[in-house]
Amino acid sequence: LAVIFVIGYMVYAYPQKIDQKGTTDILSCIASNISLSSEPPVLLSKMNALRWDTDKSIYFTGNLGLSSVYNFHYKDVFDYEEGAAVVGEDFICVLLEYKNADKCNEMFARSFDFFKERKKYENPQLKDSSYQLIDRKERQLDFHKHNNYLIIFIHKGEQDMEERFSELNILLDA
């Protein structure tokens, strides 16, 4: 017997008892129903089109998927549809997609209100369509809203992310 979770494109299997045949049978059944000809998710393709010098790109859904990139909080603070991220040596860029701009604006405001009350984050600064925070590891978190997307850069504060932000905006508008 196994406990199996399917999260986005990932299948996680945790055997409860050592029953290799049963676990193998279940995973074989799941694997036989997975199409291998599928294109990558559109959001991930957009992030990969940036051609930034990154170590990996990740597609995810849900708070558990997002926390595999950066652990904002155990609660689902963002309530987004789907997400993608690129991880570089000295920065992370997270792109969260919403159904529409209204939902993005709502979650932008809610997330700022949520984070400014948390001890994990310091120095909250709200501007028109962005806000910044500093986490416990002294990394800067820059949040920007763009149409139905929330863009988050996580980096050391001395880095300027404006050029990357502009490049991403152009890509999202195309």
Side-chain angles (χ1 to χ4, degrees):
L1 181 64
V3 176
I4 298 179
F5 297 96
V6 179
I7 302 172
Y9 288 92
M10 301 297 293
V11 177
Y12 299 93
Y14 302 95
Q16 295 297 319
K17 295 181 180 177
I18 303 300
D19 181 2
Q20 188 172 5
K21 181 180 177 353
T23 302
T24 303
D25 290 346
I26 291 170
L27 292 174
S28 294
C29 181
I30 292 171
S32 68
N33 288 298
I34 297 174
S35 170
L36 297 178
S37 63
S38 176
E39 294 294 321
V42 172
L43 205 58
L44 184 61
S45 296
K46 287 181 181 186
M47 294 297 277
N48 288 334
L50 291 167
R51 304 280 186 229
W52 293 340
D53 184 20
T54 57
D55 300 328
K56 63 181 174 179
S57 58
I58 305 162
Y59 173 81
F60 53 88
T61 59
N63 198 45
L64 182 60
L66 176 59
S67 67
S68 71
V69 177
Y70 180 88
N71 189 10
F72 291 95
H73 198 271
Y74 70 90
K75 291 183 180 179
D76 185 0
V77 178
F78 298 106
D79 191 25
Y80 61 95
E81 295 294 312
E82 62 180 336
V86 291
V87 179
E89 184 177 321
D90 54 357
F91 78 98
I92 300 171
C93 178
V94 177
L95 180 62
L96 304 178
E97 184 173 23
Y98 293 89
K99 285 184 181 180
N100 55 51
D102 290 339
K103 179 69 173 183
C104 182
N105 290 334
E106 174 189 346
M107 296 316 299
F108 175 84
R110 278 192 191 177
S111 64
F112 177 75
D113 290 341
F114 181 85
F115 289 130
K116 74 180 181 183
E117 300 299 324
R118 298 297 174 267
K119 292 180 182 178
K120 178 180 177 179
Y121 303 101
E122 299 176 351
N123 199 23
Q125 297 179 16
L126 178 63
K127 298 177 183 173
D128 292 332
S129 61
S130 69
Y131 67 88
Q132 288 78 39
L133 305 167
I134 307 292
D135 72 5
R136 287 185 182 144
K137 294 182 179 180
E138 297 183 3
R139 292 176 293 192
Q140 184 167 319
L141 286 74
D142 299 326
F143 297 77
H144 303 269
K145 58 183 176 177
H146 181 81
N147 299 327
N148 62 318
Y149 297 100
L150 182 58
I151 302 163
I152 308 165
F153 286 101
I154 303 160
H155 59 94
K156 288 293 184 184
E158 61 273 1
Q159 294 176 278
D160 185 7
M161 293 288 124
E162 282 304 313
E163 186 175 320
R164 291 185 194 275
F165 176 65
S166 296
E167 188 177 344
L168 184 52
N169 280 342
I170 291 168
L171 180 75
L172 295 174
D173 288 338

